[in-house]
Amino acid sequence: IEKPAPTYAFDMGSEIPVPVCVQRAGYMTLGVEDYQTFDYDSTELIYHLTLHSPHTKYKIRWVWYHEEANKIKLQFNVDNILHRNRWVHPGEVVIEDAWIPDACIHDNEITIKIKVLNGTIAVLSGLEIEKEQVGGGGPQGEDALRSSLYALRLLPMYPNPSKGILKIRFSSPDERNVTVMIFDVAGRLVNKVFEGKSKIGSNEFLITPKELSAGVYFIKVESNDYIETQKIVLLK
């Protein structure tokens, strides 16, 4: 199975409209971090994408963030098939992901709707889609995909380069002993972020590396049967 590769990655809140956005009231920039910008609408945001790679599974990842006075209940909806509801508190960064159901992509297109269920506005701070190529279909391809779904996996760093905050995320199929570390370019351990049992599903660490200078670092996630390293650039 091919390693997941980014298919779409959109930064919200740009003065230039996100090209796939078909309904948007405006955008807002609150700070230098990518997650502090977002699209917003009084009731609903709508994005329309074309996905046309054969023998492909797609994973979608989205970021919630707002600075309204009160918490907001939002719904992430893909083709009225995939639904995720979430309360998001002011200033909270929430990263969620899910596999896009096959029923959504049979026509090679998906429509994403962000709805406000309770609160003031519908907001979205980030949107990213990855693809996994499944060779030729058939039982062997299905087994390979199933294997990938139940493996520990370090997710792409977001944002990268980063300024002031590092977001380290990995998915785990079960509770297992995991160590998350940061190394400098000389291979020296500079920060042990986490050592213990992972949660089932998404695991996320938001750290402010005040003790680190600007430069290139490597994030390493390690368990009994898994080691993966990703590079991240830290700005000051």
Side-chain angles (χ1 to χ4, degrees), residues 28-46:
M28 190 172 293
T29 304
L30 299 169
V32 297
E33 299 291 347
D34 288 348
Y35 70 86
Q36 289 181 313
T37 67
F38 49 76
D39 288 336
Y40 72 89
D41 184 83
S42 59
T43 57
E44 185 178 62
L45 287 162
I46 301 177

Side-chain angles (χ1 to χ4, degrees), residues 1-172:
I1 189 165
E2 186 182 88
K3 186 178 180 179
T7 302
Y8 295 99
F10 299 112
D11 292 327
M12 305 304 173
S14 168
E15 188 170 347
I16 300 173
V18 174
V20 298
C21 188
V22 296
Q23 178 180 323
R24 160 174 142 170
Y27 72 94
M28 190 172 293
T29 304
L30 299 169
V32 297
E33 299 291 347
D34 288 348
Y35 70 86
Q36 289 181 313
T37 67
F38 49 76
D39 288 336
Y40 72 89
D41 184 83
S42 59
T43 57
E44 185 178 62
L45 287 162
I46 301 177
Y47 301 88
H48 186 75
L49 291 84
T50 300
L51 306 174
H52 49 69
S53 299
H55 308 300
T56 301
K57 292 288 185 180
Y58 293 94
K59 173 172 278 190
I60 189 164
R61 182 177 299 111
W62 60 97
V63 183
W64 303 118
Y65 182 81
H66 72 87
E67 292 191 1
E68 294 293 290
N70 300 305
K71 65 181 180 179
I72 299 173
K73 189 175 185 180
L74 299 165
Q75 181 182 92
F76 189 89
N77 180 311
V78 181
D79 286 349
N80 294 319
I81 296 175
L82 171 64
H83 301 84
R84 290 284 184 87
N85 296 342
R86 179 77 184 229
W87 283 100
V88 183
H89 293 265
E92 178 184 23
V93 181
V94 180
I95 303 172
E96 296 189 284
D97 58 34
W99 290 98
I100 300 177
D102 291 341
C104 296
I105 55 177
H106 68 90
D107 58 355
N108 299 326
E109 296 181 346
I110 61 170
T111 299
I112 301 164
K113 296 181 180 180
I114 311 301
K115 302 179 180 180
V116 56
L117 302 180
N118 193 301
T120 51
I121 56 173
V123 299
L124 188 66
S125 182
L127 180 64
E128 182 178 321
I129 294 180
E130 294 178 356
K131 65 178 180 179
E132 283 201 1
Q133 190 73 29
V134 181
Q140 184 175 359
E142 291 173 4
D143 289 344
L145 177 62
R146 191 176 299 113
S147 172
S148 75
L149 290 174
Y150 291 93
L152 185 75
R153 188 162 72 88
L154 177 61
L155 301 173
M157 299 295 108
Y158 178 86
N160 189 12
S162 177
K163 185 176 182 180
I165 191 168
L166 294 177
K167 302 179 184 65
I168 302 173
R169 299 168 294 133
F170 65 88
S171 60
S172 180

